[in-house]
Amino acid sequence: MGWAIAVHGGAGDIPLSLPPEKRLPREAGLRRCLDVGIAALKAHNHPLDVVELVVRELENNPHFNAGKGSVLTTSGTVEMEACIMDGKTMKCGAVSGVSTVVNAISLARLVMDKTPHIYLAFDGAEAFAREQGLETVEMSHFITPENIERLKQAQEADRVQLDYTQPIQKEVPKDAALADGDSQIGTVGCVAVDNEGNLATATSTGGIVNKMVGRIGDTPIIGAGTYANHLCAVSATGRGEAIIRGTIARDVAAVMEFKGLSLKEAAAYVIDQVPRGNAGLVAVSSTGEVAMPFNTTGMFRACATEDGYSEIAIWDSPTK
Amino acid sequence: MEASIMDGPKRRCGAVSGLTTVKNPISLARLVMDKTPHSYLGFAGAEEFARKQGVELVDNEYFITEDNVGMLKLAKEANSILFDYRIPTLTTCGGSAAMENQLQMNGLPISLYAPETVGCVVVDKQGHCAAATSTGGLMNKMTGRIGDSPLIGSGTYACDLVAVSCTGEGEAIIRSTLAREVAAVMEYKGLNLHEAVDYVIKTRLDEGKAGLIAVSKNGEVACGFNTTGMFRGCATEDGFMEVGVW
């Protein structure tokens, strides 16, 4: 037993040639968040508080696709979503279509704690945030120049893909890394377990670049991008549509329960079922195991366990 | 209003939430599945998509019935959430009577219980399953509240083996990922349809109240509920037909 924590900053087609100015800030961000989470666990904070805290850090970091630094919709706006779940009580909270709330994960937590519901979205979620006195800002706060550029490139790629006079461009796969070396997809998440086996998970995202206004991904869907029960806590990342149809987060726990697999085996099994290049996840079990499998080129991730093990990685072996 | 639809063979899915003028939310969910690279659209974005697709739109008043206006008033007086079920005795108990008999949902009081989400599951001769669910949600719900009906794996699910549509306490259905649960125990534990439905209803609902209908790729049909009743009907090719409430 013993506590364990795992964090991710998004899985995707992260090219091995990612330049240092893009790689280093994210590694530093992961390191910082891991430290924050570890300190909180060592101070005996409940995993629910730990995962919320860590995800808030990631949301505030403009290098990740959540909170500040969220990717943009096709209209150039920000629509954030987040989800949190407590493994022991199975209580959960989720929000979508949030555009002014500084920390969507905290709003999701309030939905869980302060309403009879699980999931609030768009205007209703924003109104609830104000009612609860959560910090809100102008939407421009979340928008970074990199994301404006990403949106431009994605819209260009879309347009170019339809332009049959440019056959070379037509061969570019839809999810290819953009010219600046960044993946189009990403999310942030954190899972944690304390040494009493209390589990929690939290996930937050801006969605996918150039998404339709109103598009909801896997992150706020319990069982898809986020799930925790008495066995494990899971946070997934990747192409939302694939994670939804694969009920990824739920399946890790289901496979552990119904097939008796270990966390690592279950997580690897579930990721294997998803078409290559589409998903990754971080998970911890009630007994303090950690798993961080992905079938994409890379996944920004970090983990630590009470026995002193810790790791920060982007690429390396696909199943860990 | 919200809805979702799922096609078993490739587990393609479509869902919508926060609709106020689309006459048939389920058809919009179908269009999300068929005509967009996404699985789920909500609120203004979904309504805009509907406009662009040219689906039938109506004024919000079209959907509102006198009964529901009355129920909302009662719910507000009782300061609680109602499942949108009408029973005559409701008129004989005023707000205070409702307060005395507090059922709880998600830790907060609800006045009455018997939900009316709608859904349908179908399997054809080739064993292809599909599921669809649609709802107005909870009476007196918070604006922007999303329930289980549009959530794949909770209110709706279909795969190679089975198609499921759920109804009941949305929040309980979400926590138990009820629809996916039926398929998961069939897939991972090898239970047949009836065993799976029984097992899931009996063991996965904690204090929550819900029901579901399901069909399997073998042409079986099953339903289960831990509520007093569930409005339902089913039919199979060999001539079996049934409509039931309790």
Side-chain angles (χ1 to χ4, degrees):
Chain A
M1 288 269 278
W3 57 256
I5 181 170
V7 175
H8 72 75
D13 192 14
I14 307 164
L16 292 148
S17 56
L18 189 72
E21 64 268 19
K22 299 223 179 276
R23 180 171 53 83
L24 294 172
R26 281 153 172 169
E27 279 174 353
L30 288 170
R31 184 167 297 114
R32 186 181 143 64
C33 289
L34 192 67
D35 287 343
V36 163
I38 291 170
L41 278 167
K42 283 183 169 160
H44 304 292
N45 287 309
H46 191 281
L48 208 52
D49 294 327
V50 175
V51 299
E52 183 187 350
L53 188 63
V54 170
V55 169
R56 284 175 66 97
E57 286 293 325
L58 289 163
E59 284 172 338
N60 296 340
N61 186 323
H63 293 104
F64 295 105
N65 176 15
K68 190 173 172 117
S70 283
V71 297
L72 306 179
T73 70
T74 196
S75 300
T77 55
V78 160
E79 287 179 357
M80 300 172 285
E81 38 198 25
C83 184
I84 190 165
M85 189 162 187
D86 177 336
K88 179 169 264 162
T89 62
M90 307 282 287
K91 290 184 64 174
C92 37
V95 291
S96 280
V98 168
S99 304
T100 67
V101 178
V102 175
N103 292 104
I105 194 62
S106 295
L107 185 61
R109 177 94 192 254
L110 285 173
V111 173
M112 177 175 93
D113 287 341
K114 298 280 171 73
T115 77
H117 301 320
I118 284 175
Y119 192 2
L120 286 185
F122 293 87
D123 289 349
E126 294 268 337
F128 177 63
R130 278 160 184 79
E131 236 176 76
Q132 292 290 315
L134 269 194
E135 193 182 353
T136 57
V137 291
E138 291 285 313
M139 187 169 66
S140 52
H141 161 91
F142 305 100
I143 300 177
T144 59
E146 289 81 14
N147 277 307
I148 293 174
E149 185 55 33
R150 278 195 192 104
L151 178 62
K152 210 157 114 213
Q153 289 185 20
Q155 287 175 330
E156 181 66 28
D158 262 0
R159 204 157 42 82
V160 164
Q161 280 192 317
L162 295 170
D163 181 353
Y164 295 102
T165 62
Q166 294 193 11
I168 297 162
Q169 297 291 12
K170 214 185 137 190
E171 275 142 35
V172 173
K174 221 172 149 72
D175 280 344
L178 297 166
D180 68 352
D182 263 332
S183 162
Q184 290 184 21
I185 54 184
T187 295
V188 301
C190 180
V191 291
V193 60
D194 64 16
N195 53 24
E196 280 158 35
N198 293 310
L199 289 150
T201 173
T203 318
S204 182
T205 188
I208 56 175
V209 175
N210 202 23
K211 63 182 180 178
M212 287 174 73
V213 170
R215 177 262 190 184
I216 292 172
D218 64 286
T219 294
I221 300 185
I222 298 291
T226 309
Y227 186 78
N229 65 6
H230 63 287
L231 290 169
C232 65
V234 184
S235 172
T237 166
R239 184 147 279 274
E241 286 71 16
I243 295 170
I244 290 172
R245 84 161 56 93
T247 55
I248 299 300
R250 174 70 189 103
D251 272 27
V252 175
V255 164
M256 283 179 77
E257 183 177 350
F258 299 133
K259 284 172 94 83
L261 298 192
S262 72
L263 179 76
K264 278 189 160 59
E265 291 167 336
Y269 176 87
V270 169
I271 288 295
D272 263 351
Q273 305 297 307
V274 181
R276 265 211 97 60
N278 277 276
L281 63 90
V282 295
V284 290
S285 72
S286 60
T287 54
E289 300 166 271
V290 176
M292 304 193 292
F294 53 95
N295 68 11
T296 47
T297 312
M299 179 170 78
F300 293 106
R301 64 199 186 278
C303 71
T305 51
E306 190 166 8
D307 61 11
Y309 177 76
S310 86
E311 178 192 332
I312 297 177
I314 302 175
W315 304 281
D316 294 338
S317 57
T319 42
K320 285 208 141 252
Chain B
M1 297 171 289
E2 42 198 20
S4 64
I5 191 164
M6 192 161 186
D7 185 17
K10 293 201 172 114
R11 290 176 299 159
R12 296 164 58 232
C13 42
V16 288
S17 278
L19 298 184
T20 54
T21 67
V22 176
K23 187 164 180 208
N24 291 102
I26 194 62
S27 296
L28 191 67
R30 177 95 192 256
L31 286 171
V32 171
M33 177 173 86
D34 288 341
K35 298 279 171 73
T36 78
H38 302 319
S39 296
Y40 190 6
L41 285 184
F43 298 81
E47 293 265 334
E48 180 58 29
F49 175 64
R51 257 187 299 282
K52 290 210 171 105
Q53 291 290 313
V55 301
E56 194 176 352
L57 301 175
V58 292
D59 278 338
N60 192 241
E61 275 109 51
Y62 163 86
F63 304 103
I64 299 177
T65 62
E66 238 177 80
D67 271 356
N68 279 323
V69 173
M71 295 284 286
L72 180 62
K73 192 152 161 287
L74 270 168
K76 283 188 184 291
E77 278 165 18
N79 191 29
S80 65
I81 295 168
L82 289 178
F83 282 105
D84 57 332
Y85 178 70
R86 291 137 233 154
I87 51 173
T89 54
L90 186 62
T91 55
T92 64
C93 50
S96 54
M99 288 300 269
E100 272 148 30
N101 247 338
Q102 284 293 306
L103 289 179
Q104 297 264 316
M105 183 187 73
N106 245 31
L108 286 169
I110 64 169
S111 281
L112 247 204
Y113 181 81
E116 274 178 3
T117 293
V118 302
C120 181
V121 291
V122 173
V123 60
D124 68 11
K125 277 203 226 301
Q126 277 84 39
H128 296 147
C129 304
T133 315
S134 182
T135 188
L138 290 179
M139 179 72 67
N140 204 22
K141 65 184 178 182
M142 286 175 75
T143 303
R145 176 263 189 183
I146 292 176
D148 66 288
S149 300
L151 302 188
I152 297 297
S154 289
T156 306
Y157 188 76
C159 62
D160 279 336
L161 295 175
V162 65
V164 184
S165 173
C166 305
T167 167
E169 251 184 63
E171 281 72 15
I173 294 169
I174 293 172
R175 273 197 304 274
S176 60
T177 53
L178 204 62
R180 172 61 184 134
E181 211 64 7
V182 174
V185 298
M186 289 177 73
E187 194 175 334
Y188 298 132
K189 268 170 87 97
L191 299 192
N192 70 34
L193 182 71
H194 288 96
E195 292 167 336
V197 170
D198 252 358
Y199 176 82
V200 163
I201 292 288
K202 284 203 173 80
T203 68
R204 298 283 144 162
L205 279 172
D206 55 55
E207 309 95 31
K209 297 283 187 198
L212 61 91
I213 49 172
V215 291
S216 74
K217 70 172 202 267
N218 302 322
E220 303 160 283
V221 62
C223 70
F225 48 94
N226 68 356
T227 51
T228 312
M230 177 173 75
F231 293 105
R232 65 198 183 277
C234 67
T236 53
E237 190 171 1
D238 60 13
F240 174 74
M241 251 172 73
E242 177 187 271
V243 168
V245 179
W246 303 276

